[in-house]
Amino acid sequence: MKNTPNNKLEQAIEAMGAYRGRSFPDLFSDFLDLTLTLLCNNPSEHQRKLMQDTFADDRRKAAFLTALKAYGEAAEGFHDPLGDMFMTRISHGPNGQFFTPEHICDFMARIADPKDESINDPCCGSGRLLLAGLKVARESGNDPVIYANDLSYTCAQMCLMNMLFNSAGGEVSCGNSLTMDL
């Protein structure tokens, strides 16, 4: 297995606690929670405890910081390494959830109007279509506001991270966009 940015990220996430018998899905969730905790003003009790536990253990702290760096490298250029990992390692591979491939998202974004002031995706997944739209809009000199929603809390977290790491302004919510129960 070659050492790609995604592989570095997976290895770093595994190092966050695999020695303690934690599953990859749990470690992935911890990585999302920890990263978003660092970026929020009012962390929940769960987030504060997770942060304390992680930063009290030098191995977990180093692994988390390595994972954060690897995520930044893998996400460079509007890419979605979290969605790839989620599809293969969390949602049970061929029987699980699939996100639109990045090259299809890029194509769809290029045929849309990059002058729009906002981009909305009511079932955003990990935010790939939003990333593609943001990339095309910025190439045209625009910086649209992003509005995203997903029924899955994990997907909403992945989308939020992808938007934050690409300096996108807007909102990401979790809920049912058909019933408007957000």
Side-chain angles (χ1 to χ4, degrees):
M1 177 188 325
K2 63 183 183 176
N3 209 9
T4 65
N6 274 15
N7 289 339
K8 288 180 188 177
L9 177 56
E10 284 189 50
Q11 291 167 0
I13 289 173
E14 286 175 342
M16 285 175 53
Y19 62 91
R20 295 171 53 191
R22 308 260 341 263
S23 69
F24 188 83
D26 289 341
L27 296 171
F28 184 81
S29 180
D30 286 353
F31 175 69
L32 295 175
D33 282 343
L34 285 165
T35 303
L36 293 172
T37 299
L38 287 174
L39 300 170
C40 77
N41 292 329
N42 191 18
S44 69
E45 184 58 37
H46 163 75
Q47 290 170 318
R48 282 193 292 276
K49 181 169 178 6
L50 182 60
M51 185 70 76
Q52 287 172 336
D53 291 348
T54 300
F55 284 90
D57 181 323
D58 288 338
R59 285 192 294 183
R60 285 184 73 197
K61 176 182 173 182
F64 168 68
L65 294 174
T66 300
L68 195 57
K69 181 180 182 218
Y71 168 69
E73 291 170 359
E76 186 76 29
F78 300 93
H79 293 291
D80 174 30
L82 299 173
D84 290 337
M85 262 187 283
F86 181 81
M87 287 187 295
T88 58
R89 301 283 308 267
I90 312 294
S91 80
H92 311 293
N95 298 320
Q97 186 172 356
F98 291 92
F99 301 132
T100 306
E102 286 187 29
H103 69 281
I104 301 295
C105 292
D106 289 341
F107 172 75
M108 291 170 64
R110 295 216 180 276
I111 63 173
D113 185 1
K115 294 183 217 80
D116 287 341
E117 294 179 13
S118 65
I119 303 173
N120 180 15
D121 190 345
C123 49
C124 63
S126 58
R128 287 182 173 191
L129 194 53
L130 296 165
L131 286 172
L134 189 62
K135 176 172 56 174
V136 169
R138 286 188 178 162
E139 288 170 356
S140 300
N142 299 318
D143 197 17
V145 176
I146 301 295
Y147 297 100
N149 181 71
D150 202 275
L151 190 56
S152 163
Y153 181 70
T154 300
C155 287
Q157 284 183 303
M158 289 187 292
C159 182
L160 180 58
M161 278 184 56
N162 282 330
M163 296 306 109
L164 289 171
F165 273 72
N166 285 284
S167 303
E171 292 181 23
V172 177
S173 60
C174 180
N176 188 331
S177 57
L178 292 175
T179 63
M180 296 304 291
D181 182 22
L182 307 177

